[in-house]
Amino acid sequence: MPGYEFFGQEERKEVNDVLETGIMMRYGFDGPRKGIWKAKELEAAICNTFSCKHTQLVSSGTAALTTAMSALGIGYGDEIILPSFTFVASFEAVLSVGAIPVFVDVDDTLTLNPLAVKNAITNKTKCIMPVHMCGSMADMDALQAICKEHNLLLLEDACQSIGASYKGKKLGTIGDAGTFSFDFVKTITCAEGGAVITNNETTYINCDGYSDHGHDHKGTDRGADLHPFIGYNFRISELHAAVGLAQIKKLDDFLSIQRKNHTAIKNALATIPEVSFRRIPDESGDSCTFLSWFLPTEEATKAVVAELKAQNILAGNFYWFVNNWHYIKKWDHLKNAATLNALHPHLKAAVMHHATKDFSASDAIICRCISTAIGLTWTDEQLKTKCNQMVNAIKKVLSEQKATA
Ligand SMILES: *Cc1c(COP(=O)(O)O)cnc(C)c1O
């Protein structure tokens, strides 16, 4: 799954190009950098790979979300609809621009339930933010239709689904803007980094300025840049961009290995009648970084996860195990609106209200879901062993449960 599994010569070469000149800053120093512009080159490669007009690299996926929201004009008091199953960065970004995260239930796609989205729209709603979790996509036709009907922005958090597509379009290029993360555990990595992609020129110009202190990048030198608006420093360094440049060239290879391993595990699990799979709105577009599957009951799921864990097989369940990062049930800090800065009382009340609603429909799905991360470096032998181990563990637990029932 993550790009760090195939880190080598190519990354070293790109980083060395930067170290040779010593210019680690992405802007300026035109003479001494001797034609080395890794961030610019990576931005062009991203536009080319994902067929989008504009790319703004930034320092992280979280920074990409904050930058995209600001560039789209989202701010104080605006409501952004997002799923109950995501990564904490999604709501951190919403709060960072003073907006209100309005969580809604996921369905068996593990992403936004379009009906729940519709029901959550108010006169303050400004944006719908699908999060394409675990390598696969939300129902974009349904979400686009809702955005059109209600005149809302569509921002895709595609941080976990680089290279996936929906009906021939790359995820991240369908909405008004999309974001990628290149942190250390993502499909391709810069160590730390992120990108906003968009086909809208104004949105791009806003991202370009916002991520670099509001500089308009039109001056004869940096000192002469004008500042049409206030920005921050979310710049990526040339060193990080250099790593990303090597990684993006490997993306197609990563995806084809993932698809092969994913298919093998899916075929093995499909032999068990009690196992069902995540619904994928466009199967052919799945990036296959994870295989997400369901068991019929919470009890069976819990027991299978424990059994797989005992056998040293990673099996992600975001309801009780693995980590506290991805599901709303685990976010007490959000439910308490525990920030280090004073939140405006209205904002605080709204944040707490929306984080503590009833998510039983999501609970019923997430508590039965297991996400298996697909490795890139597994040998055929290891893959075969893994498939057998998983099938045997599931069968063992199911038959034990049947015996005691
Ligand atoms: C990783 C991730 C982010 C944030 O990316 P960072 O680069 O780690 O800041 C945002 N959203 C989702 C869904 C992610 O998985």
Side-chain angles (χ1 to χ4, degrees):
M1 171 199 125
Y4 71 71
E5 290 178 88
F6 277 116
F7 190 91
Q9 278 300 103
E10 301 79 6
E11 285 77 5
R12 246 175 252 131
K13 192 243 156 220
E14 296 291 343
V15 171
N16 270 332
D17 287 349
V18 177
L19 293 176
E20 290 288 327
T21 66
I23 306 303
M24 292 178 271
M25 167 84 166
R26 69 157 300 177
Y27 297 112
F29 302 90
D30 295 25
R33 70 191 314 134
K34 300 189 180 124
I36 305 285
W37 298 90
K38 297 299 181 187
K40 276 190 195 207
E41 219 183 306
L42 179 54
E43 285 169 345
I46 291 172
C47 287
N48 193 32
T49 305
F50 300 100
S51 302
C52 60
K53 283 198 189 137
H54 307 284
T55 299
Q56 178 65 48
L57 282 171
V58 289
S59 51
S60 71
T62 312
L65 285 167
T66 297
T67 300
M69 287 171 197
S70 297
L72 292 169
I74 295 167
Y76 178 74
D78 291 335
E79 293 181 353
I80 301 192
I81 295 176
L82 74 168
S84 59
F85 177 53
T86 179
F87 178 51
V88 289
S90 309
F91 69 73
E92 289 165 4
V94 176
L95 293 175
S96 77
V97 299
I100 299 163
V102 175
F103 297 92
V104 304
D105 280 318
V106 295
D107 58 20
D108 59 350
T109 64
L110 300 183
T111 60
L112 286 174
N113 176 339
L115 194 62
V117 170
K118 257 189 174 166
N119 291 336
I121 293 173
T122 72
N123 58 8
K124 285 197 233 155
T125 308
K126 179 103 179 209
C127 176
I128 296 175
M129 182 165 78
V131 183
H132 304 300
M133 282 297 279
C134 301
S136 178
M137 79 290 305
D139 181 345
M140 293 305 288
D141 278 350
L143 297 177
Q144 270 188 304
I146 296 171
C147 286
K148 207 166 166 197
E149 187 187 337
H150 295 270
N151 195 24
L152 302 174
L153 294 163
L154 184 59
L155 170 59
E156 294 174 77
D157 180 342
C159 288
Q160 289 198 10
S161 296
I162 297 158
S165 59
Y166 175 77
K167 299 190 177 174
K169 284 188 185 156
K170 293 284 198 252
L171 298 189
T173 67
I174 300 166
D176 295 284
T179 61
F180 293 141
S181 162
F182 306 121
D183 80 21
F184 195 57
V185 297
K186 295 302 204 283
T187 307
I188 55 174
T189 184
C190 295
E192 298 285 359
V196 183
I197 60 176
T198 181
N199 288 315
N200 182 293
E201 193 179 359
T202 305
T203 304
Y204 163 69
I205 290 171
N206 287 347
C207 289
D208 174 64
Y210 187 82
S211 58
D212 184 28
H213 301 296
H215 289 309
D216 68 358
H217 300 137
K218 286 182 187 156
T220 45
D221 59 56
R222 279 179 76 69
D225 280 347
L226 297 177
H227 302 89
F229 51 79
I230 296 167
Y232 297 91
N233 177 6
F234 292 138
R235 291 188 304 262
I236 194 164
S237 83
E238 283 286 279
L239 289 173
H240 292 88
V243 175
L245 199 52
Q247 288 262 304
I248 200 167
K249 291 173 187 159
K250 302 179 178 182
L251 178 61
D252 281 344
D253 290 341
F254 290 177
L255 293 173
S256 68
I257 299 169
Q258 277 173 187
R259 293 206 168 104
K260 172 181 137 295
N261 293 350
H262 183 277
T263 304
I265 298 186
K266 187 168 183 184
N267 288 344
L269 297 195
T271 61
I272 304 171
E274 289 88 347
V275 170
S276 60
F277 296 96
R278 170 186 186 175
R279 182 162 58 86
I280 313 278
D282 176 8
E283 288 272 358
S284 66
D286 191 351
S287 71
C288 296
T289 43
F290 286 86
L291 175 68
S292 299
W293 45 287
F294 303 101
L295 286 165
T297 63
E298 176 173 356
E299 198 194 4
T301 312
K302 220 168 170 170
V304 165
V305 170
E307 177 65 27
L308 290 173
K309 213 172 165 190
Q311 298 193 27
N312 242 333
I313 299 178
L314 271 181
N317 175 283
F318 302 99
Y319 200 69
W320 338 269
F321 300 104
V322 194
N323 61 50
N324 297 329
W325 307 339
H326 294 290
Y327 188 52
I328 196 158
K329 180 173 182 274
K330 306 278 194 162
W331 301 335
D332 286 340
H333 62 322
L334 176 75
K335 292 175 195 174
N336 296 322
T339 64
L340 295 179
N341 327 103
L343 283 184
H344 188 288
H346 287 313
L347 193 56
K348 185 165 178 156
V351 168
M352 293 170 82
H353 167 71
H354 287 289
T356 53
K357 284 181 303 200
D358 171 38
F359 294 104
S360 50
S362 303
D363 289 346
I365 287 161
I366 300 296
C367 79
R368 295 185 300 107
C369 179
I370 298 177
S371 289
T372 304
I374 304 297
L376 293 172
T377 56
W378 298 339
T379 63
D380 286 349
E381 201 51 43
Q382 284 171 327
L383 179 60
K384 217 161 121 191
T385 309
K386 200 171 286 280
C387 289
N388 289 335
Q389 273 180 303
M390 287 178 75
V391 167
N392 292 338
I394 298 165
K395 281 186 175 163
K396 181 179 163 216
V397 168
L398 291 174
S399 72
E400 279 168 5
Q401 291 204 334
K402 237 174 236 160
T404 57

mmCIF file of all heavy atoms in Angstrom, residues 174-193:
data_model
loop_
_atom_site.group_PDB
_atom_site.id
_atom_site.type_symbol
_atom_site.label_atom_id
_atom_site.label_comp_id
_atom_site.label_asym_id
_atom_site.label_seq_id
_atom_site.Cartn_x
_atom_site.Cartn_y
_atom_site.Cartn_z
ATOM 1 N N ILE A 174 -13.068 15.580 -10.085
ATOM 2 C CA ILE A 174 -14.500 15.632 -10.410
ATOM 3 C C ILE A 174 -15.170 16.852 -9.763
ATOM 4 O O ILE A 174 -16.007 17.502 -10.380
ATOM 5 C CB ILE A 174 -15.183 14.315 -9.968
ATOM 6 C CG1 ILE A 174 -14.526 13.130 -10.700
ATOM 7 C CG2 ILE A 174 -16.686 14.366 -10.225
ATOM 8 C CD1 ILE A 174 -14.852 11.768 -10.128
ATOM 9 N N GLY A 175 -14.785 17.152 -8.543
ATOM 10 C CA GLY A 175 -15.383 18.280 -7.836
ATOM 11 C C GLY A 175 -14.742 19.612 -8.205
ATOM 12 O O GLY A 175 -13.940 19.702 -9.138
ATOM 13 N N ASP A 176 -15.081 20.664 -7.432
ATOM 14 C CA ASP A 176 -14.480 21.980 -7.666
ATOM 15 C C ASP A 176 -12.991 21.966 -7.358
ATOM 16 O O ASP A 176 -12.224 22.735 -7.926
ATOM 17 C CB ASP A 176 -15.198 23.020 -6.797
ATOM 18 C CG ASP A 176 -16.643 23.178 -7.233
ATOM 19 O OD1 ASP A 176 -16.870 23.818 -8.268
ATOM 20 O OD2 ASP A 176 -17.546 22.612 -6.576
ATOM 21 N N ALA A 177 -12.611 21.100 -6.428
ATOM 22 C CA ALA A 177 -11.189 20.885 -6.132
ATOM 23 C C ALA A 177 -11.056 19.517 -5.469
ATOM 24 O O ALA A 177 -12.035 18.953 -4.973
ATOM 25 C CB ALA A 177 -10.650 21.977 -5.208
ATOM 26 N N GLY A 178 -9.840 19.000 -5.477
ATOM 27 C CA GLY A 178 -9.569 17.724 -4.814
ATOM 28 C C GLY A 178 -8.231 17.804 -4.109
ATOM 29 O O GLY A 178 -7.397 18.657 -4.440
ATOM 30 N N THR A 179 -8.044 16.949 -3.101
ATOM 31 C CA THR A 179 -6.776 16.984 -2.364
ATOM 32 C C THR A 179 -6.126 15.613 -2.315
ATOM 33 O O THR A 179 -6.810 14.581 -2.266
ATOM 34 C CB THR A 179 -6.985 17.447 -0.904
ATOM 35 O OG1 THR A 179 -7.864 16.519 -0.253
ATOM 36 C CG2 THR A 179 -7.574 18.841 -0.840
ATOM 37 N N PHE A 180 -4.796 15.620 -2.323
ATOM 38 C CA PHE A 180 -3.992 14.411 -2.120
ATOM 39 C C PHE A 180 -3.088 14.615 -0.907
ATOM 40 O O PHE A 180 -2.716 15.741 -0.593
ATOM 41 C CB PHE A 180 -3.075 14.143 -3.321
ATOM 42 C CG PHE A 180 -3.799 13.774 -4.600
ATOM 43 C CD1 PHE A 180 -3.343 14.258 -5.818
ATOM 44 C CD2 PHE A 180 -4.897 12.932 -4.586
ATOM 45 C CE1 PHE A 180 -3.985 13.932 -7.010
ATOM 46 C CE2 PHE A 180 -5.548 12.598 -5.770
ATOM 47 C CZ PHE A 180 -5.093 13.095 -6.979
ATOM 48 N N SER A 181 -2.727 13.512 -0.283
ATOM 49 C CA SER A 181 -1.683 13.524 0.749
ATOM 50 C C SER A 181 -0.539 12.646 0.284
ATOM 51 O O SER A 181 -0.774 11.577 -0.287
ATOM 52 C CB SER A 181 -2.231 12.970 2.071
ATOM 53 O OG SER A 181 -1.154 12.590 2.921
ATOM 54 N N PHE A 182 0.675 13.110 0.522
ATOM 55 C CA PHE A 182 1.855 12.289 0.249
ATOM 56 C C PHE A 182 2.602 12.012 1.548
ATOM 57 O O PHE A 182 3.819 12.014 1.582
ATOM 58 C CB PHE A 182 2.771 12.993 -0.761
ATOM 59 C CG PHE A 182 2.079 13.396 -2.035
ATOM 60 C CD1 PHE A 182 2.041 14.726 -2.439
ATOM 61 C CD2 PHE A 182 1.451 12.448 -2.834
ATOM 62 C CE1 PHE A 182 1.390 15.107 -3.609
ATOM 63 C CE2 PHE A 182 0.796 12.814 -4.008
ATOM 64 C CZ PHE A 182 0.769 14.146 -4.392
ATOM 65 N N ASP A 183 1.848 11.839 2.644
ATOM 66 C CA ASP A 183 2.549 11.557 3.904
ATOM 67 C C ASP A 183 3.152 10.152 3.827
ATOM 68 O O ASP A 183 3.010 9.439 2.834
ATOM 69 C CB ASP A 183 1.639 11.799 5.124
ATOM 70 C CG ASP A 183 0.661 10.669 5.434
ATOM 71 O OD1 ASP A 183 0.880 9.519 5.011
ATOM 72 O OD2 ASP A 183 -0.348 10.943 6.123
ATOM 73 N N PHE A 184 3.836 9.740 4.894
ATOM 74 C CA PHE A 184 4.699 8.570 4.785
ATOM 75 C C PHE A 184 3.954 7.258 4.555
ATOM 76 O O PHE A 184 4.522 6.295 4.049
ATOM 77 C CB PHE A 184 5.573 8.466 6.047
ATOM 78 C CG PHE A 184 6.724 7.534 5.890
ATOM 79 C CD1 PHE A 184 7.650 7.719 4.864
ATOM 80 C CD2 PHE A 184 6.892 6.466 6.757
ATOM 81 C CE1 PHE A 184 8.724 6.853 4.709
ATOM 82 C CE2 PHE A 184 7.961 5.593 6.602
ATOM 83 C CZ PHE A 184 8.879 5.788 5.582
ATOM 84 N N VAL A 185 2.675 7.194 4.893
ATOM 85 C CA VAL A 185 1.952 5.926 4.727
ATOM 86 C C VAL A 185 0.954 5.950 3.569
ATOM 87 O O VAL A 185 0.136 5.042 3.429
ATOM 88 C CB VAL A 185 1.224 5.501 6.030
ATOM 89 C CG1 VAL A 185 2.230 5.256 7.134
ATOM 90 C CG2 VAL A 185 0.209 6.549 6.472
ATOM 91 N N LYS A 186 1.020 6.964 2.727
ATOM 92 C CA LYS A 186 0.081 7.020 1.611
ATOM 93 C C LYS A 186 0.631 6.287 0.375
ATOM 94 O O LYS A 186 1.811 5.930 0.334
ATOM 95 C CB LYS A 186 -0.230 8.486 1.278
ATOM 96 C CG LYS A 186 -0.976 9.229 2.405
ATOM 97 C CD LYS A 186 -2.290 8.565 2.778
ATOM 98 C CE LYS A 186 -3.298 9.506 3.407
ATOM 99 N NZ LYS A 186 -3.038 9.850 4.824
ATOM 100 N N THR A 187 -0.237 6.118 -0.616
ATOM 101 C CA THR A 187 0.097 5.314 -1.808
ATOM 102 C C THR A 187 1.408 5.750 -2.461
ATOM 103 O O THR A 187 2.226 4.922 -2.838
ATOM 104 C CB THR A 187 -1.051 5.389 -2.836
ATOM 105 O OG1 THR A 187 -2.253 5.030 -2.167
ATOM 106 C CG2 THR A 187 -0.813 4.441 -4.000
ATOM 107 N N ILE A 188 1.569 7.049 -2.661
ATOM 108 C CA ILE A 188 2.905 7.552 -2.998
ATOM 109 C C ILE A 188 3.263 8.608 -1.958
ATOM 110 O O ILE A 188 2.388 9.287 -1.432
ATOM 111 C CB ILE A 188 3.014 8.119 -4.438
ATOM 112 C CG1 ILE A 188 1.972 9.194 -4.705
ATOM 113 C CG2 ILE A 188 2.910 7.007 -5.475
ATOM 114 C CD1 ILE A 188 2.162 9.875 -6.062
ATOM 115 N N THR A 189 4.545 8.703 -1.640
ATOM 116 C CA THR A 189 4.936 9.557 -0.511
ATOM 117 C C THR A 189 6.046 10.532 -0.876
ATOM 118 O O THR A 189 6.859 10.260 -1.753
ATOM 119 C CB THR A 189 5.386 8.695 0.691
ATOM 120 O OG1 THR A 189 5.670 9.559 1.790
ATOM 121 C CG2 THR A 189 6.618 7.857 0.372
ATOM 122 N N CYS A 190 6.021 11.688 -0.194
ATOM 123 C CA CYS A 190 7.134 12.651 -0.240
ATOM 124 C C CYS A 190 7.792 12.707 1.145
ATOM 125 O O CYS A 190 8.552 13.618 1.414
ATOM 126 C CB CYS A 190 6.631 14.055 -0.521
ATOM 127 S SG CYS A 190 5.889 14.320 -2.112
ATOM 128 N N ALA A 191 7.449 11.825 2.039
ATOM 129 C CA ALA A 191 7.714 11.883 3.488
ATOM 130 C C ALA A 191 6.600 12.703 4.121
ATOM 131 O O ALA A 191 5.848 12.204 4.933
ATOM 132 C CB ALA A 191 9.069 12.436 3.867
ATOM 133 N N GLU A 192 6.503 13.984 3.761
ATOM 134 C CA GLU A 192 5.358 14.826 4.103
ATOM 135 C C GLU A 192 5.063 15.689 2.885
ATOM 136 O O GLU A 192 5.984 16.263 2.309
ATOM 137 C CB GLU A 192 5.654 15.749 5.298
ATOM 138 C CG GLU A 192 5.972 15.065 6.610
ATOM 139 C CD GLU A 192 4.773 14.452 7.319
ATOM 140 O OE1 GLU A 192 3.644 14.558 6.804
ATOM 141 O OE2 GLU A 192 4.990 13.871 8.389
ATOM 142 N N GLY A 193 3.809 15.804 2.533
ATOM 143 C CA GLY A 193 3.455 16.659 1.407
ATOM 144 C C GLY A 193 2.006 16.460 1.032
ATOM 145 O O GLY A 193 1.351 15.524 1.511
#
